[in-house]
PDB file of all heavy atoms in Angstrom:
ATOM      1  N   VAL A 548       0.927 -13.359  -4.509  1.00 98.00           N
ATOM      2  CA  VAL A 548      -0.475 -13.616  -4.652  1.00 98.00           C
ATOM      3  C   VAL A 548      -0.728 -14.921  -3.746  1.00 98.00           C
ATOM      4  O   VAL A 548      -1.736 -14.894  -2.949  1.00 98.00           O
ATOM      5  CB  VAL A 548      -0.916 -13.909  -6.072  1.00 98.00           C
ATOM      6  CG1 VAL A 548      -2.338 -14.546  -6.010  1.00 98.00           C
ATOM      7  CG2 VAL A 548      -0.844 -12.710  -6.884  1.00 98.00           C
ATOM      8  N   GLY A 549       0.239 -15.828  -3.696  1.00 97.00           N
ATOM      9  CA  GLY A 549       0.103 -17.004  -2.819  1.00 97.00           C
ATOM     10  C   GLY A 549       0.132 -16.621  -1.353  1.00 97.00           C
ATOM     11  O   GLY A 549      -0.691 -17.116  -0.556  1.00 97.00           O
ATOM     12  N   GLU A 550       0.977 -15.559  -1.018  1.00 97.00           N
ATOM     13  CA  GLU A 550       1.009 -15.108   0.372  1.00 97.00           C
ATOM     14  C   GLU A 550      -0.333 -14.499   0.673  1.00 97.00           C
ATOM     15  O   GLU A 550      -0.805 -14.804   1.942  1.00 97.00           O
ATOM     16  CB  GLU A 550       2.086 -14.051   0.591  1.00 97.00           C
ATOM     17  CG  GLU A 550       3.449 -14.565   0.500  1.00 97.00           C
ATOM     18  CD  GLU A 550       4.459 -13.406   0.716  1.00 97.00           C
ATOM     19  OE1 GLU A 550       4.385 -12.607   1.729  1.00 97.00           O
ATOM     20  OE2 GLU A 550       5.388 -13.185  -0.114  1.00 97.00           O
ATOM     21  N   ALA A 551      -0.910 -13.673  -0.120  1.00 97.00           N
ATOM     22  CA  ALA A 551      -2.065 -13.022   0.212  1.00 97.00           C
ATOM     23  C   ALA A 551      -3.271 -13.963   0.288  1.00 97.00           C
ATOM     24  O   ALA A 551      -4.071 -13.833   1.233  1.00 97.00           O
ATOM     25  CB  ALA A 551      -2.465 -11.964  -0.905  1.00 97.00           C
ATOM     26  N   LEU A 552      -3.293 -14.889  -0.606  1.00 97.00           N
ATOM     27  CA  LEU A 552      -4.327 -15.988  -0.477  1.00 97.00           C
ATOM     28  C   LEU A 552      -4.296 -16.809   0.947  1.00 97.00           C
ATOM     29  O   LEU A 552      -5.234 -17.041   1.456  1.00 97.00           O
ATOM     30  CB  LEU A 552      -4.164 -16.958  -1.634  1.00 97.00           C
ATOM     31  CG  LEU A 552      -4.569 -16.457  -3.096  1.00 97.00           C
ATOM     32  CD1 LEU A 552      -4.121 -17.463  -4.075  1.00 97.00           C
ATOM     33  CD2 LEU A 552      -5.998 -16.220  -2.995  1.00 97.00           C
ATOM     34  N   GLU A 553      -2.978 -17.021   1.239  1.00 96.00           N
ATOM     35  CA  GLU A 553      -2.894 -17.742   2.618  1.00 96.00           C
ATOM     36  C   GLU A 553      -3.302 -16.949   3.799  1.00 96.00           C
ATOM     37  O   GLU A 553      -3.916 -17.413   4.633  1.00 96.00           O
ATOM     38  CB  GLU A 553      -1.291 -18.172   2.676  1.00 96.00           C
ATOM     39  CG  GLU A 553      -1.024 -18.998   4.005  1.00 96.00           C
ATOM     40  CD  GLU A 553       0.403 -19.391   4.190  1.00 96.00           C
ATOM     41  OE1 GLU A 553       1.186 -19.204   3.294  1.00 96.00           O
ATOM     42  OE2 GLU A 553       0.713 -19.925   5.212  1.00 96.00           O
ATOM     43  N   ASN A 554      -2.872 -15.613   3.686  1.00 96.00           N
ATOM     44  CA  ASN A 554      -3.324 -14.775   4.801  1.00 96.00           C
ATOM     45  C   ASN A 554      -4.893 -14.557   4.787  1.00 96.00           C
ATOM     46  O   ASN A 554      -5.475 -14.202   5.749  1.00 96.00           O
ATOM     47  CB  ASN A 554      -2.657 -13.336   4.532  1.00 96.00           C
ATOM     48  CG  ASN A 554      -1.244 -13.386   4.799  1.00 96.00           C
ATOM     49  OD1 ASN A 554      -0.639 -14.266   5.451  1.00 96.00           O
ATOM     50  ND2 ASN A 554      -0.492 -12.368   4.226  1.00 96.00           N
ATOM     51  N   ALA A 555      -5.456 -14.640   3.608  1.00 95.00           N
ATOM     52  CA  ALA A 555      -6.887 -14.571   3.563  1.00 95.00           C
ATOM     53  C   ALA A 555      -7.604 -15.905   3.893  1.00 95.00           C
ATOM     54  O   ALA A 555      -8.867 -15.780   4.131  1.00 95.00           O
ATOM     55  CB  ALA A 555      -7.287 -14.068   2.162  1.00 95.00           C
ATOM     56  N   GLY A 556      -6.859 -16.893   3.912  1.00 95.00           N
ATOM     57  CA  GLY A 556      -7.587 -18.188   4.084  1.00 95.00           C
ATOM     58  C   GLY A 556      -8.425 -18.619   2.895  1.00 95.00           C
ATOM     59  O   GLY A 556      -9.388 -19.336   2.937  1.00 95.00           O
ATOM     60  N   VAL A 557      -7.930 -18.303   1.747  1.00 95.00           N
ATOM     61  CA  VAL A 557      -8.575 -18.567   0.434  1.00 95.00           C
ATOM     62  C   VAL A 557      -7.701 -19.332  -0.508  1.00 95.00           C
ATOM     63  O   VAL A 557      -6.535 -19.078  -0.438  1.00 95.00           O
ATOM     64  CB  VAL A 557      -9.029 -17.197  -0.219  1.00 95.00           C
ATOM     65  CG1 VAL A 557      -9.636 -17.497  -1.579  1.00 95.00           C
ATOM     66  CG2 VAL A 557     -10.018 -16.505   0.544  1.00 95.00           C
ATOM     67  N   THR A 558      -8.186 -20.353  -1.106  1.00 96.00           N
ATOM     68  CA  THR A 558      -7.430 -21.160  -2.205  1.00 96.00           C
ATOM     69  C   THR A 558      -7.495 -20.408  -3.467  1.00 96.00           C
ATOM     70  O   THR A 558      -8.563 -19.765  -3.837  1.00 96.00           O
ATOM     71  CB  THR A 558      -7.860 -22.563  -2.136  1.00 96.00           C
ATOM     72  OG1 THR A 558      -9.203 -22.634  -2.755  1.00 96.00           O
ATOM     73  CG2 THR A 558      -7.851 -23.173  -0.751  1.00 96.00           C
ATOM     74  N   ALA A 559      -6.677 -20.857  -4.404  1.00 96.00           N
ATOM     75  CA  ALA A 559      -6.759 -20.275  -5.862  1.00 96.00           C
ATOM     76  C   ALA A 559      -7.980 -20.748  -6.420  1.00 96.00           C
ATOM     77  O   ALA A 559      -8.522 -20.022  -7.292  1.00 96.00           O
ATOM     78  CB  ALA A 559      -5.397 -20.805  -6.607  1.00 96.00           C
ATOM     79  N   ASP A 560      -8.464 -21.968  -6.146  1.00 96.00           N
ATOM     80  CA  ASP A 560      -9.730 -22.398  -6.740  1.00 96.00           C
ATOM     81  C   ASP A 560     -10.839 -21.560  -6.334  1.00 96.00           C
ATOM     82  O   ASP A 560     -11.967 -21.530  -6.977  1.00 96.00           O
ATOM     83  CB  ASP A 560     -10.013 -23.886  -6.303  1.00 96.00           C
ATOM     84  CG  ASP A 560      -8.975 -24.837  -6.887  1.00 96.00           C
ATOM     85  OD1 ASP A 560      -8.421 -24.544  -8.024  1.00 96.00           O
ATOM     86  OD2 ASP A 560      -8.868 -25.990  -6.439  1.00 96.00           O
ATOM     87  N   GLU A 561     -10.931 -20.892  -5.184  1.00 96.00           N
ATOM     88  CA  GLU A 561     -11.950 -20.080  -4.711  1.00 96.00           C
ATOM     89  C   GLU A 561     -11.955 -18.704  -5.248  1.00 96.00           C
ATOM     90  O   GLU A 561     -12.846 -17.978  -5.036  1.00 96.00           O
ATOM     91  CB  GLU A 561     -11.946 -20.053  -3.210  1.00 96.00           C
ATOM     92  CG  GLU A 561     -12.197 -21.424  -2.607  1.00 96.00           C
ATOM     93  CD  GLU A 561     -12.015 -21.406  -0.959  1.00 96.00           C
ATOM     94  OE1 GLU A 561     -10.957 -20.780  -0.575  1.00 96.00           O
ATOM     95  OE2 GLU A 561     -12.885 -21.927  -0.307  1.00 96.00           O
ATOM     96  N   VAL A 562     -10.909 -18.322  -6.032  1.00 97.00           N
ATOM     97  CA  VAL A 562     -10.798 -17.054  -6.601  1.00 97.00           C
ATOM     98  C   VAL A 562     -11.701 -16.929  -7.750  1.00 97.00           C
ATOM     99  O   VAL A 562     -11.630 -17.797  -8.767  1.00 97.00           O
ATOM    100  CB  VAL A 562      -9.359 -16.692  -6.993  1.00 97.00           C
ATOM    101  CG1 VAL A 562      -9.273 -15.488  -7.774  1.00 97.00           C
ATOM    102  CG2 VAL A 562      -8.514 -16.598  -5.690  1.00 97.00           C
ATOM    103  N   ASP A 563     -12.630 -15.955  -7.825  1.00 97.00           N
ATOM    104  CA  ASP A 563     -13.388 -15.722  -9.076  1.00 97.00           C
ATOM    105  C   ASP A 563     -12.685 -14.950 -10.192  1.00 97.00           C
ATOM    106  O   ASP A 563     -12.853 -15.191 -11.437  1.00 97.00           O
ATOM    107  CB  ASP A 563     -14.688 -14.775  -8.634  1.00 97.00           C
ATOM    108  CG  ASP A 563     -15.632 -15.614  -7.667  1.00 97.00           C
ATOM    109  OD1 ASP A 563     -15.953 -16.754  -8.021  1.00 97.00           O
ATOM    110  OD2 ASP A 563     -15.724 -15.145  -6.605  1.00 97.00           O
ATOM    111  N   TRP A 564     -11.857 -14.133  -9.794  1.00 98.00           N
ATOM    112  CA  TRP A 564     -11.138 -13.283 -10.726  1.00 98.00           C
ATOM    113  C   TRP A 564      -9.669 -12.955 -10.299  1.00 98.00           C
ATOM    114  O   TRP A 564      -9.399 -12.795  -9.187  1.00 98.00           O
ATOM    115  CB  TRP A 564     -11.791 -11.914 -11.048  1.00 98.00           C
ATOM    116  CG  TRP A 564     -13.161 -11.974 -11.436  1.00 98.00           C
ATOM    117  CD1 TRP A 564     -14.367 -11.900 -10.758  1.00 98.00           C
ATOM    118  CD2 TRP A 564     -13.654 -12.339 -12.839  1.00 98.00           C
ATOM    119  NE1 TRP A 564     -15.512 -12.139 -11.522  1.00 98.00           N
ATOM    120  CE2 TRP A 564     -15.043 -12.476 -12.805  1.00 98.00           C
ATOM    121  CE3 TRP A 564     -12.901 -12.569 -14.069  1.00 98.00           C
ATOM    122  CZ2 TRP A 564     -15.800 -12.752 -13.993  1.00 98.00           C
ATOM    123  CZ3 TRP A 564     -13.657 -12.979 -15.114  1.00 98.00           C
ATOM    124  CH2 TRP A 564     -15.081 -12.914 -15.089  1.00 98.00           C
ATOM    125  N   LEU A 565      -8.696 -12.981 -11.203  1.00 98.00           N
ATOM    126  CA  LEU A 565      -7.424 -12.527 -11.018  1.00 98.00           C
ATOM    127  C   LEU A 565      -7.152 -11.122 -11.817  1.00 98.00           C
ATOM    128  O   LEU A 565      -7.404 -11.046 -12.949  1.00 98.00           O
ATOM    129  CB  LEU A 565      -6.403 -13.558 -11.611  1.00 98.00           C
ATOM    130  CG  LEU A 565      -4.906 -13.258 -11.501  1.00 98.00           C
ATOM    131  CD1 LEU A 565      -4.511 -13.106 -10.045  1.00 98.00           C
ATOM    132  CD2 LEU A 565      -4.104 -14.345 -12.228  1.00 98.00           C
ATOM    133  N   LEU A 566      -6.828 -10.157 -11.007  1.00 98.00           N
ATOM    134  CA  LEU A 566      -6.613  -8.835 -11.544  1.00 98.00           C
ATOM    135  C   LEU A 566      -5.140  -8.317 -11.345  1.00 98.00           C
ATOM    136  O   LEU A 566      -4.847  -8.095 -10.131  1.00 98.00           O
ATOM    137  CB  LEU A 566      -7.629  -7.865 -10.959  1.00 98.00           C
ATOM    138  CG  LEU A 566      -7.531  -6.421 -11.281  1.00 98.00           C
ATOM    139  CD1 LEU A 566      -7.555  -6.158 -12.891  1.00 98.00           C
ATOM    140  CD2 LEU A 566      -8.761  -5.484 -10.789  1.00 98.00           C
ATOM    141  N   LEU A 567      -4.389  -8.379 -12.377  1.00 98.00           N
ATOM    142  CA  LEU A 567      -3.048  -8.126 -12.236  1.00 98.00           C
ATOM    143  C   LEU A 567      -2.749  -6.637 -12.864  1.00 98.00           C
ATOM    144  O   LEU A 567      -3.574  -6.176 -13.745  1.00 98.00           O
ATOM    145  CB  LEU A 567      -2.122  -9.018 -13.033  1.00 98.00           C
ATOM    146  CG  LEU A 567      -2.136 -10.547 -12.547  1.00 98.00           C
ATOM    147  CD1 LEU A 567      -1.291 -11.248 -13.484  1.00 98.00           C
ATOM    148  CD2 LEU A 567      -1.886 -10.722 -11.122  1.00 98.00           C
ATOM    149  N   HIS A 568      -1.753  -5.996 -12.345  1.00 98.00           N
ATOM    150  CA  HIS A 568      -1.347  -4.739 -13.089  1.00 98.00           C
ATOM    151  C   HIS A 568      -1.078  -4.972 -14.634  1.00 98.00           C
ATOM    152  O   HIS A 568      -0.469  -5.984 -14.948  1.00 98.00           O
ATOM    153  CB  HIS A 568      -0.063  -4.212 -12.295  1.00 98.00           C
ATOM    154  CG  HIS A 568       0.686  -3.247 -13.263  1.00 98.00           C
ATOM    155  ND1 HIS A 568       0.137  -2.052 -13.672  1.00 98.00           N
ATOM    156  CD2 HIS A 568       1.964  -3.227 -13.665  1.00 98.00           C
ATOM    157  CE1 HIS A 568       0.991  -1.419 -14.446  1.00 98.00           C
ATOM    158  NE2 HIS A 568       2.182  -1.989 -14.460  1.00 98.00           N
ATOM    159  N   GLN A 569      -1.844  -4.030 -15.354  1.00 97.00           N
ATOM    160  CA  GLN A 569      -1.843  -4.302 -16.828  1.00 97.00           C
ATOM    161  C   GLN A 569      -0.544  -3.817 -17.441  1.00 97.00           C
ATOM    162  O   GLN A 569      -0.424  -2.675 -17.895  1.00 97.00           O
ATOM    163  CB  GLN A 569      -2.944  -3.547 -17.435  1.00 97.00           C
ATOM    164  CG  GLN A 569      -4.212  -3.878 -16.684  1.00 97.00           C
ATOM    165  CD  GLN A 569      -4.830  -5.305 -17.073  1.00 97.00           C
ATOM    166  OE1 GLN A 569      -5.304  -5.448 -18.245  1.00 97.00           O
ATOM    167  NE2 GLN A 569      -4.906  -6.149 -16.085  1.00 97.00           N
ATOM    168  N   ALA A 570       0.519  -4.767 -17.389  1.00 96.00           N
ATOM    169  CA  ALA A 570       1.862  -4.385 -17.885  1.00 96.00           C
ATOM    170  C   ALA A 570       2.153  -5.025 -19.258  1.00 96.00           C
ATOM    171  O   ALA A 570       2.625  -4.344 -20.272  1.00 96.00           O
ATOM    172  CB  ALA A 570       2.815  -4.584 -16.893  1.00 96.00           C
ATOM    173  N   ASN A 571       1.859  -6.402 -19.310  1.00 96.00           N
ATOM    174  CA  ASN A 571       2.254  -7.216 -20.432  1.00 96.00           C
ATOM    175  C   ASN A 571       1.484  -8.417 -20.342  1.00 96.00           C
ATOM    176  O   ASN A 571       1.383  -9.166 -19.403  1.00 96.00           O
ATOM    177  CB  ASN A 571       3.749  -7.412 -20.354  1.00 96.00           C
ATOM    178  CG  ASN A 571       4.321  -8.164 -21.492  1.00 96.00           C
ATOM    179  OD1 ASN A 571       3.880  -9.264 -21.808  1.00 96.00           O
ATOM    180  ND2 ASN A 571       5.300  -7.603 -22.168  1.00 96.00           N
ATOM    181  N   ILE A 572       0.954  -8.838 -21.517  1.00 97.00           N
ATOM    182  CA  ILE A 572      -0.004 -10.058 -21.545  1.00 97.00           C
ATOM    183  C   ILE A 572       0.826 -11.318 -21.250  1.00 97.00           C
ATOM    184  O   ILE A 572       0.274 -12.208 -20.665  1.00 97.00           O
ATOM    185  CB  ILE A 572      -0.627 -10.088 -22.878  1.00 97.00           C
ATOM    186  CG1 ILE A 572      -1.818 -11.220 -22.955  1.00 97.00           C
ATOM    187  CG2 ILE A 572       0.312 -10.327 -24.062  1.00 97.00           C
ATOM    188  CD1 ILE A 572      -2.938 -10.894 -21.861  1.00 97.00           C
ATOM    189  N   ARG A 573       2.203 -11.271 -21.596  1.00 96.00           N
ATOM    190  CA  ARG A 573       2.954 -12.387 -21.434  1.00 96.00           C
ATOM    191  C   ARG A 573       3.253 -12.670 -19.954  1.00 96.00           C
ATOM    192  O   ARG A 573       3.134 -13.792 -19.394  1.00 96.00           O
ATOM    193  CB  ARG A 573       4.288 -12.241 -22.064  1.00 96.00           C
ATOM    194  CG  ARG A 573       4.234 -12.009 -23.606  1.00 96.00           C
ATOM    195  CD  ARG A 573       3.480 -13.198 -24.377  1.00 96.00           C
ATOM    196  NE  ARG A 573       3.109 -12.819 -25.781  1.00 96.00           N
ATOM    197  CZ  ARG A 573       1.978 -13.077 -26.463  1.00 96.00           C
ATOM    198  NH1 ARG A 573       1.030 -13.844 -25.717  1.00 96.00           N
ATOM    199  NH2 ARG A 573       1.747 -12.737 -27.525  1.00 96.00           N
ATOM    200  N   ILE A 574       3.295 -11.608 -19.197  1.00 97.00           N
ATOM    201  CA  ILE A 574       3.447 -11.626 -17.715  1.00 97.00           C
ATOM    202  C   ILE A 574       2.167 -12.226 -17.114  1.00 97.00           C
ATOM    203  O   ILE A 574       2.170 -13.119 -16.326  1.00 97.00           O
ATOM    204  CB  ILE A 574       3.729 -10.222 -17.167  1.00 97.00           C
ATOM    205  CG1 ILE A 574       5.190  -9.796 -17.464  1.00 97.00           C
ATOM    206  CG2 ILE A 574       3.644 -10.306 -15.570  1.00 97.00           C
ATOM    207  CD1 ILE A 574       5.554  -8.340 -17.020  1.00 97.00           C
ATOM    208  N   MET A 575       1.056 -11.590 -17.583  1.00 97.00           N
ATOM    209  CA  MET A 575      -0.199 -12.128 -17.039  1.00 97.00           C
ATOM    210  C   MET A 575      -0.494 -13.560 -17.307  1.00 97.00           C
ATOM    211  O   MET A 575      -0.998 -14.389 -16.412  1.00 97.00           O
ATOM    212  CB  MET A 575      -1.317 -11.292 -17.701  1.00 97.00           C
ATOM    213  CG  MET A 575      -1.229  -9.774 -17.327  1.00 97.00           C
ATOM    214  SD  MET A 575      -2.315  -8.704 -18.354  1.00 97.00           S
ATOM    215  CE  MET A 575      -3.881  -9.108 -17.743  1.00 97.00           C
ATOM    216  N   GLU A 576      -0.065 -14.118 -18.456  1.00 97.00           N
ATOM    217  CA  GLU A 576      -0.220 -15.545 -18.828  1.00 97.00           C
ATOM    218  C   GLU A 576       0.561 -16.437 -17.980  1.00 97.00           C
ATOM    219  O   GLU A 576       0.212 -17.475 -17.375  1.00 97.00           O
ATOM    220  CB  GLU A 576       0.056 -15.754 -20.212  1.00 97.00           C
ATOM    221  CG  GLU A 576      -0.868 -15.115 -21.197  1.00 97.00           C
ATOM    222  CD  GLU A 576      -0.572 -15.122 -22.757  1.00 97.00           C
ATOM    223  OE1 GLU A 576       0.670 -15.307 -22.880  1.00 97.00           O
ATOM    224  OE2 GLU A 576      -1.448 -15.052 -23.551  1.00 97.00           O
ATOM    225  N   THR A 577       1.861 -15.899 -17.689  1.00 97.00           N
ATOM    226  CA  THR A 577       2.749 -16.794 -16.829  1.00 97.00           C
ATOM    227  C   THR A 577       2.377 -16.907 -15.578  1.00 97.00           C
ATOM    228  O   THR A 577       2.389 -17.948 -14.965  1.00 97.00           O
ATOM    229  CB  THR A 577       4.306 -16.199 -17.041  1.00 97.00           C
ATOM    230  OG1 THR A 577       4.618 -16.182 -18.344  1.00 97.00           O
ATOM    231  CG2 THR A 577       5.129 -16.979 -16.246  1.00 97.00           C
ATOM    232  N   VAL A 578       1.891 -15.662 -14.875  1.00 98.00           N
ATOM    233  CA  VAL A 578       1.468 -15.639 -13.473  1.00 98.00           C
ATOM    234  C   VAL A 578       0.183 -16.513 -13.343  1.00 98.00           C
ATOM    235  O   VAL A 578       0.151 -17.285 -12.390  1.00 98.00           O
ATOM    236  CB  VAL A 578       1.214 -14.216 -13.055  1.00 98.00           C
ATOM    237  CG1 VAL A 578       0.585 -14.170 -11.638  1.00 98.00           C
ATOM    238  CG2 VAL A 578       2.430 -13.345 -13.195  1.00 98.00           C
ATOM    239  N   ALA A 579      -0.690 -16.387 -14.298  1.00 97.00           N
ATOM    240  CA  ALA A 579      -1.908 -17.217 -14.076  1.00 97.00           C
ATOM    241  C   ALA A 579      -1.690 -18.681 -14.220  1.00 97.00           C
ATOM    242  O   ALA A 579      -2.196 -19.541 -13.471  1.00 97.00           O
ATOM    243  CB  ALA A 579      -2.941 -16.794 -15.278  1.00 97.00           C
ATOM    244  N   LYS A 580      -0.691 -18.987 -15.087  1.00 97.00           N
ATOM    245  CA  LYS A 580      -0.360 -20.446 -15.243  1.00 97.00           C
ATOM    246  C   LYS A 580       0.273 -21.091 -13.922  1.00 97.00           C
ATOM    247  O   LYS A 580       0.125 -22.150 -13.564  1.00 97.00           O
ATOM    248  CB  LYS A 580       0.668 -20.618 -16.323  1.00 97.00           C
ATOM    249  CG  LYS A 580       0.986 -22.102 -16.692  1.00 97.00           C
ATOM    250  CD  LYS A 580       1.904 -22.158 -17.967  1.00 97.00           C
ATOM    251  CE  LYS A 580       2.314 -23.619 -18.184  1.00 97.00           C
ATOM    252  NZ  LYS A 580       3.167 -23.644 -19.511  1.00 97.00           N
TER     253      LYS A 580
END
Side-chain angles (χ1 to χ4, degrees):
V548 173
E550 286 181 58
L552 288 171
E553 183 176 353
N554 292 337
V557 173
T558 67
D560 290 339
E561 295 173 311
V562 171
D563 295 302
W564 301 101
L565 177 63
L566 175 53
L567 304 176
H568 163 53
Q569 307 287 292
N571 184 301
I572 192 63
R573 305 301 169 216
I574 292 175
M575 298 163 75
E576 290 171 344
T577 302
V578 172
K580 183 177 181 180

